[in-house]
């Protein structure tokens, strides 16, 4: 009898499982969440509301002070001067003065710059980008929140300035209403000057990334360039017209005072506002997206 031989059963050899694909299954931050986070940052900083409040007080005080000077020295003008005060559009010029516009531009641009340079200075930006790698979306949310807040701020300051100055001038029967030619345009242009300046400050801050240098950059670009560029030559006048403060001067000027050597249109000034806001937002978004942290 032939002995049965048993074949040893094949023992299973351990196999290595294929490496699992690394996927990010966690919930991604929605744009609404980013906007909410940026709004939380804005209102949680104690310095930000104070900066807005002091800026509003300074701007309204500048405008009201100019109107009060006309009220106080009203009777020092001759009869013809008093009669031509309204006809020449002087109450409209008192409603939002150039000095007040300069204060608002500088302050709001600084707020826009600090909104990004402050995060770089404290190192919070690293934590922010680690939590939200989508830098473009994050910066777009920051720009959106800044635009909304400064637009509301600008509208409040512009309307408060118009109301306070005309209330002062009404004591001499020299006030105007919003129905006066150019009054609504002045209020809207002064209100929208705030978000344009804030977005410009945000862009400058995103490029320079240092608070002091960014504030200096805001002063040079937004305030010094319009003063340096002369409006007596065609080339420099055209370059001056491309700046937001010069656009505000065109929009705020009464048609009776708008005569210049190289005139430009109201629609051109509105276009400058829109292009500056769009360009500044784009620079801020892509400067942070492309550069190393």
């Amino acid at each position: 009898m032939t002995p049965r031989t048993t074949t040893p059963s094949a023992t299973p050899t351990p196999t290595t499982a294929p490496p699992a694909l690394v996927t990010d299954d966690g919930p991604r931050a929605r744009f609404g969440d980013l906007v909410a986070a940026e709004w939380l940052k804005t209102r949680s900083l104690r310095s930000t509301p104070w900066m807005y409040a002091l800026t509003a007080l300074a701007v309204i005080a500048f405008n009201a002070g100019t109107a009060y000077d006309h009220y106080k020295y009203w009777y020092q003008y001759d009869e013809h001067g008093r009669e031509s005060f309204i006809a020449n559009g002087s109450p409209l010029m008192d409603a939002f003065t150039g000095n007040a516009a300069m204060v608002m531009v500088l302050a709001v641009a600084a707020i826009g710059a600090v909104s990004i340079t402050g995060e770089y200075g404290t190192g919070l930006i690293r934590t922010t980008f680690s939590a939200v790698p989508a830098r473009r979306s994050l910066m777009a949310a920051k720009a959106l929140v800044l635009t909304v807040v400064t637009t509301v701020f600008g509208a409040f300051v512009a309307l408060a300035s118009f109301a306070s100055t005309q209330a002062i001038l009404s004591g001499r029967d020299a006030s105007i209403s919003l129905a006066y030619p150019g009054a609504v345009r002045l209020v809207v242009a002064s209100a929208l000057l705030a978000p344009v300046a804030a977005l410009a400050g945000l862009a400058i801050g995103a490029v320079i990334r240092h608070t002091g240098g960014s504030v200096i950059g805001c002063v040079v670009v937004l305030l010094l360039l319009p003063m340096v560029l002369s409006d007596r030559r065609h080339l420099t006048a055209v370059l001056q017209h491309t700046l937001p403060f010069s656009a505000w001067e065109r929009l705020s000027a009464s048609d009776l005072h708008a005569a210049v050597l190289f005139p430009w249109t109201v629609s051109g000034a509105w276009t400058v506002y829109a292009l500056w806001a769009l360009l500044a937002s784009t620079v801020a978004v892509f400067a942070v997206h492309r550069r190393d942290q």
Side-chain angles (χ1 to χ4, degrees):
M1 179 173 174
T2 311
R4 295 179 58 186
T5 59
T6 60
T7 7
S9 61
T11 58
T13 58
T15 58
T16 305
L21 295 176
V22 179
T23 59
D24 184 9
D25 295 331
R28 293 181 179 273
R30 295 172 297 180
F31 188 74
D33 298 330
L34 300 180
V35 171
E38 291 300 325
W39 166 243
L40 181 62
K41 289 180 186 178
T42 299
R43 67 184 181 87
S44 62
L45 291 176
R46 294 182 180 180
S47 60
T48 303
W50 279 107
M51 290 177 70
Y52 281 117
L54 292 176
T55 302
L57 182 62
V59 171
I60 296 172
F62 265 105
N63 295 323
T66 302
Y68 181 74
D69 283 342
H70 287 135
Y71 172 87
K72 183 178 180 180
Y73 299 107
W74 180 255
Y75 293 108
Q76 292 187 9
Y77 301 111
D78 57 20
E79 184 177 354
H80 176 71
R82 293 195 297 269
E83 290 176 354
S84 62
F85 186 81
I86 298 180
N88 292 336
S90 296
L92 188 62
M93 298 173 67
D94 287 357
F96 213 97
T97 64
N99 289 334
M102 287 184 182
V103 171
M104 186 172 73
V105 165
L106 178 58
V108 177
I111 292 174
V114 170
S115 67
I116 183 66
T117 60
E119 293 194 47
Y120 279 106
T122 59
L124 178 62
I125 197 71
R126 298 187 184 91
T127 304
T128 301
F129 286 149
S130 297
V132 184
R135 301 179 184 180
R136 283 179 292 192
S137 299
L138 182 65
M139 287 301 298
K142 185 183 289 291
L144 177 60
V145 171
L146 184 65
T147 300
V148 172
V149 172
T150 52
T151 300
V152 173
F153 168 79
F156 167 76
V157 171
L159 289 171
S161 295
F162 187 89
S164 60
T165 54
Q166 302 315 306
I168 293 171
L169 293 175
S170 65
R172 303 301 187 201
D173 294 326
S175 63
I176 59 173
S177 67
L178 284 173
Y180 186 86
V184 173
R185 188 180 69 198
L186 167 71
V187 172
V188 174
S190 301
L192 293 182
L193 182 62
V196 172
L199 289 173
L202 178 67
I204 293 172
V207 172
I208 298 179
R209 300 188 178 186
H210 183 272
T211 299
S214 298
V215 172
I216 293 174
C218 292
V219 173
V220 171
V221 173
L222 298 176
L223 295 181
L224 290 185
L225 276 181
M227 299 178 184
V228 171
L229 294 174
S230 172
D231 58 356
R232 296 184 176 276
R233 296 184 179 181
H234 183 265
L235 178 60
T236 55
V238 171
L239 292 176
Q240 186 188 63
H241 293 168
T242 62
L243 299 175
F245 190 81
S246 299
W248 174 84
E249 289 181 320
R250 175 63 185 95
L251 294 170
S252 64
S254 169
D255 293 335
L256 298 173
H257 295 89
V260 292
L261 289 176
F262 302 100
W264 57 316
T265 62
V266 170
S267 59
W270 287 123
T271 303
V272 169
Y273 265 29
L275 290 178
W276 265 84
L278 179 61
L279 179 63
S281 301
T282 303
V283 169
V285 169
F286 283 93
V288 172
H289 174 72
R290 295 181 67 86
R291 293 177 59 183
D292 295 332
Q293 305 305 312

